């Protein structure tokens, strides 16, 4: 694996149930394009979620602070360790790639399956200073991206399916089918932690933006609202750690109080959304709108900060926190029925996402409507505008048009990637799930 152009990457095909699909992959090497095609075909042919798992060298430059750490005794780390151990016994490629005990594992869940998790829960990771806005942790030991690797299937390796009561069947899919490793708990845990990390990344971004806006506004009421929401993080983090270690949630965690605070914030977002929609409905159709008329219902919309933009960020923060709570609830339901692990997880997650998706979509509609508005010059007795009025009109028009840039819902479904770094001691760090 010293030459990037000739890198050999083992890839496992993981199923969440005992399924029969045609043997499409074979035992020969594949290109990245062929692997993507295989993943799509398997997702289309199978009734059970099927994911792929790759392993690469672990770079020293990897920023582990972006992810959620789990120790070697956690179920996810144990499932991954058992998959590695059993694979190494039957595959020389897997044995060589995992010999050091550390590596960067990348699980990709097809778009067909990812759609079950809600339309807004997976978004591209944003990297500060990156024009593309996408950051990938898939690099080699030198810190450079490997983009011309050869993928070799690892078959007939069974992952342990039950650790601490997280059970689901495990082993190789039925004879005569593709070499699918049945590893429902591994897929469930990876998706759950990756989605939770993604939601927390959104929370961090929202907090940063709100803090910046509040420094300009000096609004104590909105500052209290932000503090109450951000204070929910401690209870959610503890609940996440307990559930991912397959413990039981208790009232002492304070999760009930956090859920109440998040619910109140979502109620505020719903109320503000209704006011925005009402204000837009009152505007005349196909007619330019004065800035002063617009700022009565959307205060500060023409400024860099403003109350309206802070309300938007508070809604984003509440949604991000609620998404983390939904993941916790979905994992808890899935673990309560080991025989129906991943299906329960996906069903609970999808059902509870509907309200958030609707709220997010409705806010996006408001922003889209606002960004398309034409601004009128101020009414007055003077036929000529002052330089200050012209500047304000131009700045306001530019800032209002940019509101549409933040719309990210209803985008085409894409494959979802969850990246996991594994250390020599078996502990792991799971990075935010992102569009593959």
């Amino acid at each position: 694996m010293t030459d990037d152009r000739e890198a050999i990457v083992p890839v496992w095909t993981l199923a969440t149930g005992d399924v029969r699909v045609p043997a499409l992959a074979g035992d020969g090497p594949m290109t990245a394009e062929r692997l993507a095609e295989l993943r799509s075909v398997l997702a289309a042919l199978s009734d059970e979620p099927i994911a792929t798992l790759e392993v690469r060298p672990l770079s020293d430059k990897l920023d582990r602070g972006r992810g959620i750490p789990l120790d070697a005794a956690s179920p996810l780390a144990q499932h991954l360790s058992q998959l590695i151990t059993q694979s190494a016994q039957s595959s020389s490629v897997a044995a060589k790639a995992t010999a050091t005990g550390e590596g960067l594992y990348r699980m990709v869940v097809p778009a067909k399956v990812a759609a079950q998790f809600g339309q807004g829960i997976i978004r591209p990771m944003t990297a500060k200073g990156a024009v593309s806005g996408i950051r990938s942790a898939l690099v080699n030991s030198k810190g450079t991206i490997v983009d011309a690797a050869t993928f070799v299937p690892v078959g007939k390796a069974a992952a342990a399916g039950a650790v601490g009561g997280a059970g689901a069947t495990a082993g190789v899919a039925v004879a005569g089918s593709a070499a699918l490793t049945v590893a429902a708990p591994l897929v469930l845990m990876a998706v759950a932690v990756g989605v939770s990390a993604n939601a927390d990344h959104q929370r961090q971004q929202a907090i940063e933006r709100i803090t910046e806006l509040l420094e300009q506004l000096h609004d104590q009421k909105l500052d209290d609202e932000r503090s109450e929401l951000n204070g929910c993080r401690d209870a959610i983090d503890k609940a996440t750690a307990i559930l991912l270690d397959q413990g039981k949630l208790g009232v002492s965690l304070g999760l009930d109080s956090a859920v109440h605070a998040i619910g109140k914030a979502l109620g505020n977002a719903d109320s503000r959304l209704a006011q925005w929609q009402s204000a837009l409905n009152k505007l005349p159709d196909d007619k330019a709108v004065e800035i002063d008329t617009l700022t009565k219902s959307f205060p500060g919309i023409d400024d860099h900060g403003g109350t309206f933009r802070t309300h938007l960020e508070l809604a984003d923060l509440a949604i991000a926190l609620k998404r983390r709570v939904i993941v916790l609830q979905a994992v808890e339901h899935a673990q309560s029925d080991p025989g129906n692990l991943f299906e329960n997880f996906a069903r609970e997650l999808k059902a509870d996402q509907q309200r958030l998706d609707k709220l997010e979509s409705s806010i996006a509609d408001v922003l889209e409507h606002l960004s398309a508005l034409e601004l009128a010059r101020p009414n007055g007795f003077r036929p000529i505008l002052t330089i200050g009025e012209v500047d304000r009109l131009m700045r306001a028009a530019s800032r209002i048009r940019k509101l549409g840039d933040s719309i990210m819902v209803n985008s085409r479904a894409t494959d979802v990637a969850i990246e996991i770094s594994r250390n020599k001691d078996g502990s792991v760090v799971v990075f935010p799930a992102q569009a593959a």
Side-chain angles (χ1 to χ4, degrees), residues 57-111:
L58 190 59
S59 170
D60 293 335
K61 299 179 181 180
L62 191 61
D63 180 12
R64 292 172 174 80
R66 297 186 298 114
I68 293 179
L70 299 172
D71 63 34
S74 66
L76 172 57
Q78 290 192 37
H79 292 313
L80 184 59
S81 295
Q82 291 167 16
L83 174 68
I84 292 168
T85 300
Q86 296 182 25
S87 298
Q89 296 174 357
S90 58
S91 169
S92 60
V93 174
K96 181 178 179 181
T98 60
T100 63
E102 61 181 14
L104 183 65
Y105 292 80
R106 186 185 197 230
M107 182 180 293
V108 180
V109 181

Side-chain angles (χ1 to χ4, degrees), residues 144-158:
T144 57
I145 296 176
V146 180
D147 58 1
T150 299
F151 297 87
V152 177
V154 180
K156 300 181 180 180

Side-chain angles (χ1 to χ4, degrees), residues 313-391:
E313 298 300 343
L314 284 169
D316 278 350
L317 176 57
I319 289 172
L321 289 168
K322 183 63 175 178
R323 290 200 192 283
R324 286 202 70 186
V325 171
I326 288 174
V327 173
L328 293 177
Q329 293 168 335
V331 172
E332 189 174 29
H333 279 281
Q335 290 183 348
S336 67
D337 186 2
N340 191 22
L341 193 87
F342 198 89
E343 291 81 355
N344 262 349
F345 172 75
R347 183 166 52 250
E348 291 295 330
L349 198 59
K350 183 178 180 180
D352 287 338
Q353 287 293 340
Q354 291 178 349
R355 181 193 171 193
L356 294 185
D357 291 344
K358 182 179 179 180
L359 174 60
E360 208 166 38
S361 178
S362 297
I363 292 176
D365 288 342
V366 168
L367 295 179
E368 186 175 13
H369 194 155
L370 286 171
S371 66
L373 289 177
E374 179 184 353
L375 294 183
R377 54 170 290 168
N379 286 329
F381 296 105
R382 291 179 291 103
I384 301 176
L385 299 180
T386 66
I387 294 177
E389 288 173 332
V390 172
D391 287 343

Side-chain angles (χ1 to χ4, degrees), residues 400-434:
I400 292 172
R401 279 197 301 270
K402 289 180 180 178
L403 287 172
D405 296 344
S406 61
I407 299 173
M408 299 182 67
V409 297
N410 295 323
S411 58
R412 183 177 61 86
T414 61
D415 292 355
V416 171
I418 299 106
E419 293 165 352
I420 306 168
S421 69
R422 183 177 188 267
N423 302 315
K424 291 182 179 180
D425 63 0
S427 62
V428 298
V429 176
V430 185
F431 297 94
Q434 57 182 301

Side-chain angles (χ1 to χ4, degrees), residues 36-44 49-52 107-119 121-122 342 350 411-418 434-436:
E37 291 173 358
L38 173 65
R39 191 163 48 235
S40 297
V41 171
L42 288 175
I50 294 177
T52 57
M107 182 180 293
V108 180
V109 181
K112 173 185 174 183
V113 180
Q116 300 177 54
F117 306 151
Q119 65 178 6
I121 202 163
I122 301 298
F342 198 89
K350 183 178 180 180
S411 58
R412 183 177 61 86
T414 61
D415 292 355
V416 171
I418 299 106
Q434 57 182 301

